[in-house]
Amino acid sequence: MEITLSNVSKNFGSNKVINKFNYSFKKGVYAILGKNGSGKSTLLKLIGNLSYPSAGKIIYKTDQKIDITKKIFFSSPYQELISELTIKEFLNFHKKFRNSITDYNKILKKFNLYKYIDSKIENLSSGSIQKLRLIISFYSDSEFILLDEPTTNLDSEGKKNYMEVLNEFADKKGIIIATNDKEDIIEKNTSIINLNN
């Protein structure tokens, strides 16, 4: 799968956030860098078909007819999870809508969440909830993973786990990361898109 943006612009009223952006995304890791307000999250939503451009076009090239929304997974710290469910209930519910790994136990242990498997999401810390977002992002069936500020609320151990999983999937999927923190990416293996330029 390939995602191509051709002369894409996005306006909010008179404010032009993205202006004639051109780029093609394939398998591999990409980082959209920029200061607050530079349009990182807006661009990520455009790529994920969660927002529509004011001008230009976005082309999703695939070898077969598929539902694009099933092949792209978007995650952000402001993404709400179903708070009244336990982790186990939530993951079982998630599997009904997105193909994912059948056994989350190993990855829950990796992220130090297994001990909370029967805890309601509303009772978890913000860091634990962000770990859960990352788990469903990486381990659901998709060709592209879009991550907005992926290490928000994570402690040093959580960031280490994130980097290990990022490395695991770096050559298997298209991974696009919007961040202003270079610790979120592996620079030597990442294509950098700097919106500050």
Side-chain angles (χ1 to χ4, degrees):
M1 182 173 171
E2 182 178 345
I3 303 175
T4 299
L5 284 76
S6 177
N7 287 317
V8 168
S9 298
K10 182 65 177 180
N11 305 337
F12 293 101
S14 60
N15 183 26
K16 182 164 281 191
V17 180
I18 304 294
N19 186 31
K20 294 183 179 179
F21 183 85
N22 294 281
Y23 206 91
S24 288
F25 298 91
K26 302 177 183 178
K27 191 179 291 185
V29 182
Y30 304 83
I32 302 170
L33 303 180
K35 60 188 178 183
N36 292 341
S38 61
K40 301 184 302 295
S41 296
T42 298
L43 182 56
L44 204 64
K45 288 178 181 177
L46 288 168
I47 295 166
N49 200 35
L50 297 172
S51 181
Y52 299 103
S54 304
K57 59 184 178 180
I58 303 173
I59 303 161
Y60 301 90
K61 297 179 183 176
T62 63
D63 295 332
Q64 52 189 342
K65 285 190 176 181
I66 56 172
D67 182 354
I68 295 299
T69 61
K70 297 290 187 183
K71 291 300 177 183
I72 300 174
F73 200 99
F74 178 89
S75 177
S76 73
Y78 48 83
Q79 179 183 29
E80 293 291 334
L81 303 183
I82 306 171
S83 60
E84 61 267 27
L85 297 183
T86 66
I87 289 179
K88 181 190 289 184
E89 290 168 341
F90 172 74
L91 293 175
N92 287 333
F93 178 78
H94 176 73
K95 286 179 192 176
K96 294 178 181 178
F97 298 94
R98 295 293 295 249
N99 291 333
S100 56
I101 61 172
T102 55
D103 184 6
Y104 277 100
N105 292 344
K106 183 178 179 181
I107 193 64
L108 286 172
K109 289 174 182 175
K110 179 183 182 67
F111 275 87
N112 200 27
L113 287 180
Y114 185 76
K115 59 188 174 183
Y116 303 121
I117 194 166
D118 293 315
S119 298
K120 288 187 177 182
I121 291 173
E122 63 189 1
N123 295 327
L124 300 177
S125 69
S126 57
S128 293
I129 294 172
Q130 180 61 13
K131 289 177 185 179
L132 189 55
R133 292 189 188 102
L134 292 173
I135 288 171
I136 61 172
S137 300
F138 282 104
Y139 293 94
S140 294
D141 180 30
S142 65
E143 293 192 33
F144 274 87
I145 305 170
L146 312 183
L147 301 173
D148 194 4
E149 306 289 352
T151 61
T152 298
N153 298 320
L154 295 186
D155 57 18
S156 58
E157 186 66 23
K159 290 180 180 180
K160 178 175 175 286
N161 296 148
Y162 158 75
M163 292 304 296
E164 288 173 357
V165 174
L166 178 59
N167 274 299
E168 178 185 345
F169 286 95
D171 59 354
K172 298 176 182 176
K173 301 187 179 191
I175 303 173
I176 308 173
I177 304 161
T179 184
N180 54 19
D181 186 351
K182 287 193 174 182
E183 289 188 2
D184 288 356
I185 62 173
I186 315 153
E187 282 195 76
K188 65 178 181 178
N189 297 320
T190 301
S191 300
I192 304 294
I193 301 161
N194 197 328
L195 297 185
N196 288 334
N197 294 336

